[in-house]
Amino acid sequence: MTATLIDGKAFAAKVRAQVADYVTKIKAERGEAPGLAVVLVGEDPASQVYVRNKGTQTLEVGMESFEYKLDAATPQEELVALIQKLNADPKVHGILVQLPLPAHLNSDLVINTIDPAKDVDGFHISNVGLLGTGQKSMVPCTPLGCLMMLRDHHGSLAGMNAVVVGRSNIVGKPMAQLLLGDSCTVTIAHSRTKDLAAVCRSADILVAAVGRPEMVLGEWVKPGATVIDVGINRIERDGKTKLVGDVHFESAAEVAGAMTPVPGGVGPMTIACLLANTLTAYCRTKGLPEPKGLTA
Ligand code: GUN
């Protein structure tokens, strides 16, 4: 292997420590703590694990955690009413509705009910529009984590060719906006892109967020490129369940200059950035200085 590993686990621990320090200061000076409300509808096992981890880590940095677990058959009006209650609650500074929602619920309508100032996922159309026009916004957690690692590794990203494989609203599109904001030349590619391998080979920064196990091969990677693997895929191999990314790690690590592993790369950064966003939302609401290095 020739690539330097970008240690997301260690980076996430640093981000959480920075958040925790600021929260300690807030508690001492103001006698209150930022609060994050997480709403889970239904019993999707992966979502249950995420929500539990979010709650635990929220408490670990000293914030207040409010969890709402609703029945899978919860009517839309009930979910909307809960979000409106959280919007009005002064102890709640961040609201996250875990996706995907059960099919009978309109995710767009639900997300757009969240007060944009409390939208710590950055999914509300106001925040999407603010990010797209280069204005201050809440930024989706996973791409924010990727950006932090890239800035830490490279310093300035200006002028670099960035290719984002994947066009989801949660990762691909906001990732492209963030890289553009840092003056990269950005291409958004996807499963229907012609000669995807050649497009990927043009990248100084290659972000894989397609949700297909080990799709990006070493021969798609430009020598020395930085590869950020957003994928988390469970596969069966040799009779065991294994976690792999969207990048074929062994072959890509022979070519890349730097690379995030799976697990231990992008994954831990997502919750760390959720906590950072909750702190940022709190600071903006209260007119306090924002934490340094934790926003786009
Ligand atoms: N489901 C998968 N990723 C996410 C995320 O970043 N936020 C929310 N709310 N749901 C998700």
Side-chain angles (χ1 to χ4, degrees), residues 59-290:
L59 295 174
E60 275 171 6
V61 296
M63 292 183 183
E64 287 208 70
S65 170
F66 307 97
E67 264 180 35
Y68 295 85
K69 293 186 175 159
L70 309 184
D71 190 88
T74 300
Q76 172 117 332
E77 306 74 56
E78 205 174 296
L79 180 57
V80 164
L82 170 62
I83 294 169
Q84 285 166 341
K85 192 183 93 173
L86 296 172
N87 284 344
D89 187 339
K91 288 173 78 69
V92 172
H93 307 94
I95 301 170
L96 178 145
V97 177
Q98 184 66 30
L99 301 177
L101 287 170
H104 70 281
L105 296 169
N106 179 339
S107 302
D108 289 336
L109 189 147
V110 168
I111 295 301
N112 290 324
T113 303
I114 300 172
D115 176 351
K118 297 189 178 188
D119 169 36
V120 283
D121 256 329
F123 294 165
H124 189 290
I125 45 166
S126 293
N127 282 315
V128 175
L130 289 167
L131 177 62
T133 50
Q135 301 178 71
K136 196 185 261 198
S137 66
M138 295 307 302
V139 175
C141 304
T142 301
L144 178 58
C146 296
L147 183 74
M148 282 185 193
M149 291 192 286
L150 285 167
R151 283 177 174 169
D152 182 67
H153 187 76
H154 286 285
S156 169
L157 309 180
M160 297 179 87
N161 287 333
V163 173
V164 179
V165 190
R167 50 178 155 174
S168 71
N169 292 334
I170 294 182
V171 182
K173 286 180 203 162
M175 185 77 250
Q177 297 284 7
L178 289 171
L179 291 165
L180 198 55
D182 271 28
S183 303
C184 292
T185 303
V186 182
T187 304
I188 305 180
H190 45 79
S191 56
R192 307 280 296 270
T193 295
K194 278 191 194 147
D195 203 351
L196 185 54
V199 172
C200 289
R201 265 194 299 274
S202 72
D204 303 311
I205 293 170
L206 180 58
V207 180
V210 260
R212 293 201 191 178
E214 301 179 321
M215 186 177 99
V216 175
L217 305 174
E219 65 220 49
W220 297 20
V221 176
K222 177 173 167 176
T226 299
V227 179
I228 304 289
D229 190 351
V230 181
I232 301 177
N233 310 288
R234 249 167 260 279
I235 61 161
E236 293 295 324
R237 184 171 291 156
D238 306 327
K240 286 189 215 134
T241 305
K242 193 170 181 254
L243 213 56
V244 298
D246 292 349
V247 178
H248 185 266
F249 184 86
E250 288 75 16
S251 61
E254 293 298 329
V255 189
M259 193 168 165
T260 58
V262 177
V266 174
M269 286 299 286
T270 297
I271 298 184
C273 287
L274 172 67
L275 304 174
N277 276 351
T278 304
L279 178 59
T280 299
Y282 176 88
C283 291
R284 287 180 185 167
T285 304
K286 304 285 177 178
L288 298 173
E290 287 176 26

